[in-house]
């Protein structure tokens, strides 16, 4: 509880800090970051577009002005009198034009604003009948120059400053930037709406997860949003169901363990009170002592089982892998349990395949832990087997399935088999197909058959299943002809190539 309270305090403190600084909280949220990223991308797009558009617009404006001046120069050269009259009329009606008109005499003298713009070579080229198109820098200003020869003699020169062209292109760029700014504003607004739409389901999912962390169950999340967000919501629903099932199993397990532990404690307390009150006659003291010792052993067994489960979940769980002869190991198990089986009136038999007489049944595993699994299964089978009935301990070979054309087959590799199967078969009430699916779940069979047949807490089978999983083995419960043929538990251990018997444990 202290850890839980401290964790909540930390979360509450974090939430309080965020509530005191909402701007910082918004910047760290998904909605805030999506909005910022959208705005940053939009600003970058505007800057790149503006930076690219300015030289393009300016270049296009200059080229357009050059083409216009080119056509006007051609018109003057073709019809100088008419063009000059039209030019004077336009200037009178519309105001000064953007270009200046200069003339070239037959002797090569330039009269007008273009007198300083053409060199002797350019003038000679015009007088010889060639066109001159140039961009000239004069007094720090750039000018477009178009010169043409007149039909009779001399020539004309049209010049235009690029200042007015650049001013016009700047105005066009400003309008373009205004349009881009409007697009930027729309992009930020769209990003904000998108961020809210995307983050909304995640916010609801996070709230549901916090409710689950606080201990609430059956918290339903309606999956919404994009596929990935829906997957998160569905995962939360699955987690809630899994937590509910797990906690239910844990409660059932604790209840069953409490019941199992309470029984010997009640007996021990009763005998202790009777001894304290002097109600036990001297001749019964030995019997009472044996009873107390047996109940103490039961309690010790529960404690050892719980510790075994804890060790199986530890990260430092290690295995001592060595070659193990299954036939020899099962022989040890039979000799160990023979006395208990005889006392219970149960016939304990060992069945081995014929191959075990000529070669060892070798597997690579941890002999001590494999023995622990087998002992647990034999002890469980001995408890449910009626007096006078058999308990069979059996090993058999399970060959690797082969197909036509397979590169590997038992004939090619006689020392390699798929698995050695160790069976522990009792003569008790047996298991149905439904029972086999939950045979290793703690407390399930106990609650299902409590009062109908001999049952334990389920710790033994749970320990055996978890230990087999950590060892990489396969432990299964096989369905039988319920309720007459008993239960059969199988351990499948991968084989290894046969070696000399002296190499096996």
């Amino acid at each position: 509880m202290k850890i839980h309270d401290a964790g909540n305090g930390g979360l509450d403190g974090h939430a309080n800090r965020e509530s005191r600084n909402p701007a910082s909280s918004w910047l760290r949220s998904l909605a805030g970051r999506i909005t910022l990223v959208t705005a940053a991308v939009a600003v970058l797009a505007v800057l790149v577009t503006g930076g690219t558009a300015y030289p393009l617009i300016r270049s296009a404006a200059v080229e357009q002005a050059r083409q216009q001046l080119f056509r006007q120069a051609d018109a003057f050269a073709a019809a100088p009198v008419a063009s000059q009259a039209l030019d004077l009329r336009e200037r009178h009606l519309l105001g000064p034009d953007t270009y200046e008109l200069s003339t070239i005499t037959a002797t090569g003298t330039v009269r007008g604003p273009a007198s300083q713009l053409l060199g002797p070579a350019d003038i000679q080229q015009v007088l010889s009948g060639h066109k001159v198109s140039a961009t000239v820098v004069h007094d720090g200003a750039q000018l477009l120059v178009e010169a043409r020869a007149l039909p009779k003699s001399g020539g004309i020169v049209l010049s235009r400053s690029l200042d007015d062209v650049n001013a016009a292109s700047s105005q066009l760029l400003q309008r373009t930037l205004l349009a881009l700014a409007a697009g930027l504003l729309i992009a930020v607004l769209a990003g904000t709406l998108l961020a809210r739409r995307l983050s909304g389901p995640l916010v609801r999912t996070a709230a549901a997860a916090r409710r689950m962390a606080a201990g609430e169950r059956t918290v339903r999340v309606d999956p919404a949003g994009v596929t990935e967000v829906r997957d998160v919501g569905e995962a939360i629903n699955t987690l809630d169901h899994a937590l509910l099932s797990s906690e239910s199993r844990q409660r059932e397990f604790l209840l069953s363990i409490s019941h199992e532990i309470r029984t010997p404690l009640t007996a021990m307390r009763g005998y202790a009170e009777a001894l304290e009150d002097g109600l036990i006659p001297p001749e019964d003291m030995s019997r009472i002592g044996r009873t107390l010792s047996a109940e103490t052993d039961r309690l010790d067994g529960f404690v050892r089982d719980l510790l075994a489960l804890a060790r199986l979940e530890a990260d430092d769980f290690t295995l001592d892998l060595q070659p193990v002869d299954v036939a020899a190991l099962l022989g040890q198990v039979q000799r160990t349990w023979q006395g208990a089986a005889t006392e219970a009136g149960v016939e304990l038999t060992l069945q081995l395949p014929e191959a075990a007489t000529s070669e060892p049944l070798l597997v690579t595993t941890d002999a001590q832990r494999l023995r622990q699994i087998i002992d647990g299964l034999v002890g469980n089978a001995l408890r449910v087997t009626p007096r006078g009935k058999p308990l069979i301990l059996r090993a058999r070979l399970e060959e690797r399935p082969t197909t036509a054309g397979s590169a590997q087959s038992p004939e090619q590799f006689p020392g390699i088999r798929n698995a050695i199967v160790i069976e522990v078969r009792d003569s008790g009430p047996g298991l149905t197909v439904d029972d086999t699916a939950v045979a290793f779940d703690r407390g399930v069979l106990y609650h299902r058959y409590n009062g109908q047949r001999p049952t334990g807490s389920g710790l033994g089978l749970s320990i055996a299943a978890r230990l087999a999983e950590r060892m990489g083995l396969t432990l299964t419960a096989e369905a039988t002809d319920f309720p007459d043929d008993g239960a059969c538990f199988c351990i499948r251990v991968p084989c290894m190539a046969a070696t000399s018997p002296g190499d096996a444990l």
Side-chain angles (χ1 to χ4, degrees):
M1 292 300 295
K2 291 182 179 179
I3 295 177
H4 180 70
D5 291 340
N8 285 341
L11 291 175
D12 292 341
H14 180 68
N16 289 335
R17 288 192 298 271
E18 289 189 348
S19 63
R20 289 195 297 267
N21 190 0
S24 176
S25 175
W26 182 81
L27 289 175
R28 287 195 296 268
S29 67
L30 177 63
R33 294 190 177 185
I34 290 178
T35 302
L36 290 178
V37 169
T38 304
V41 171
V43 169
L44 181 62
V46 168
L47 293 177
V48 172
T49 303
T52 305
Y54 179 72
L56 293 178
I57 292 174
R58 185 171 180 179
S59 175
V62 171
E63 183 62 26
Q64 183 179 7
R66 185 186 301 278
Q67 292 297 327
Q68 183 180 5
L69 194 64
F70 185 93
R71 289 192 295 270
Q72 288 173 338
D74 287 344
F76 265 97
V81 177
S83 297
Q84 188 171 10
L86 181 61
D87 176 63
L88 291 174
R89 180 178 178 81
E90 288 181 353
R91 288 174 185 270
H92 176 73
L93 294 176
L94 303 177
D97 203 350
T98 55
Y99 64 88
E100 299 290 344
L101 175 63
S102 303
T103 60
I104 303 175
T105 65
T107 59
T109 302
V110 180
R111 295 175 181 176
S115 59
Q116 303 296 322
L117 302 181
L118 296 179
D122 296 325
I123 296 173
Q124 188 61 37
Q125 184 176 357
V126 172
L127 294 177
S128 63
H130 295 88
K131 298 179 180 180
V132 173
S133 297
T135 302
V136 179
V137 179
H138 180 67
D139 292 337
Q142 284 187 321
L143 298 98
L144 298 177
V145 177
E146 293 289 337
R148 301 290 186 273
L150 294 177
K152 294 182 178 180
S153 64
I156 56 98
V157 180
L158 300 183
S159 60
R160 181 176 181 178
S161 174
L162 289 181
D163 291 340
D164 59 332
V165 176
N166 293 334
S169 61
S170 297
Q171 292 180 356
L172 181 59
L173 179 62
Q174 290 176 0
R175 295 173 182 174
T176 303
L177 290 178
L178 288 176
L180 291 175
L184 171 62
L185 179 60
I186 295 174
V188 172
L189 293 176
T192 303
L193 295 177
L194 176 63
R196 291 182 178 179
R197 183 176 181 83
L198 290 178
S199 62
L202 286 178
V203 171
R204 292 191 292 271
T205 302
R210 284 191 289 269
R211 290 165 57 192
M212 292 168 57
E216 186 178 349
R217 294 295 175 262
T218 64
V219 178
R220 177 67 184 175
V221 177
D222 293 328
V226 297
T227 301
E228 292 78 3
V229 177
R230 287 200 304 271
D231 290 343
V232 174
E234 292 171 356
I236 289 293
N237 290 333
T238 303
L239 177 61
D240 178 64
H241 179 72
L243 286 174
L244 184 63
S245 301
S246 176
E247 291 175 354
S248 298
R249 288 196 300 268
Q250 289 179 7
R251 284 193 295 269
E252 293 175 357
F253 170 68
L254 291 175
L255 288 174
S256 64
I257 290 297
S258 300
H259 175 77
E260 293 289 340
I261 292 178
R262 188 180 296 113
T263 301
L265 283 177
T266 302
M268 294 171 68
R269 177 181 291 276
Y271 282 120
E273 292 176 351
L275 287 171
E276 182 181 8
D277 295 338
L279 301 178
I280 304 297
E283 61 272 16
D284 290 340
M285 295 295 292
S286 177
R287 179 179 60 81
I288 298 303
R290 289 193 300 271
T291 301
L292 290 176
S293 177
E295 297 303 319
T296 303
D297 289 341
R298 287 183 62 190
L299 283 176
D300 181 64
F302 284 125
V303 173
R304 282 188 281 105
D305 286 344
L306 291 173
L307 291 176
L309 278 177
R311 284 193 296 268
L312 284 174
E313 301 301 330
D315 293 333
D316 58 352
F317 181 85
T318 58
L319 294 174
D320 182 18
L321 300 179
Q322 300 181 42
V324 178
D325 184 0
V326 173
L329 183 67
L330 293 182
Q332 295 175 5
V333 173
Q334 183 189 30
R335 290 189 294 271
T336 300
W337 286 92
Q338 190 64 59
T342 301
E343 183 178 353
V346 174
E347 180 185 357
L348 177 60
T349 60
L350 174 62
Q351 299 177 0
L352 298 174
E354 294 182 2
T357 59
S358 59
E359 61 180 32
L361 303 179
L362 291 181
V363 296
T364 299
T365 188
D366 188 318
Q368 181 179 354
R369 298 190 185 278
L370 179 59
R371 172 70 186 272
Q372 181 182 351
I373 298 175
I374 299 173
D375 284 341
L377 296 177
V378 172
N380 184 71
L382 190 60
R383 185 177 64 251
V384 300
T385 299
R387 195 175 189 85
K389 296 291 186 178
L391 192 163
I392 301 173
L393 189 61
R394 178 190 178 200
R396 59 183 175 85
L397 304 178
E398 190 171 72
E399 301 285 353
R400 174 187 289 114
T402 58
T403 57
S406 174
Q408 297 181 353
S409 65
E411 291 76 18
Q412 291 175 296
F413 300 91
I416 301 177
R417 297 183 177 90
N418 185 46
I420 293 178
V421 182
I422 301 172
E423 295 181 355
V424 178
R425 181 183 293 272
D426 59 56
S427 299
L431 298 174
T432 65
V433 175
D434 293 337
D435 293 338
T436 60
V438 296
F440 303 105
D441 294 342
R442 293 189 297 265
V444 176
L445 293 183
Y446 171 83
H447 288 288
R448 182 174 294 180
Y449 294 111
N450 188 25
Q452 304 177 31
R453 63 165 75 170
T455 56
S457 64
L459 273 177
L461 289 178
S462 296
I463 293 172
R466 183 58 179 147
L467 184 56
E469 180 182 353
R470 295 299 297 265
M471 295 174 64
L473 310 180
T474 304
L475 175 59
T476 58
E478 307 292 338
T480 55
D481 294 334
F482 180 86
D484 302 323
D485 201 22
C488 180
F489 293 89
C490 300
I491 309 169
R492 285 176 171 81
V493 189
C495 292
M496 62 175 289
T499 59
S500 61
D503 295 337
L505 296 180

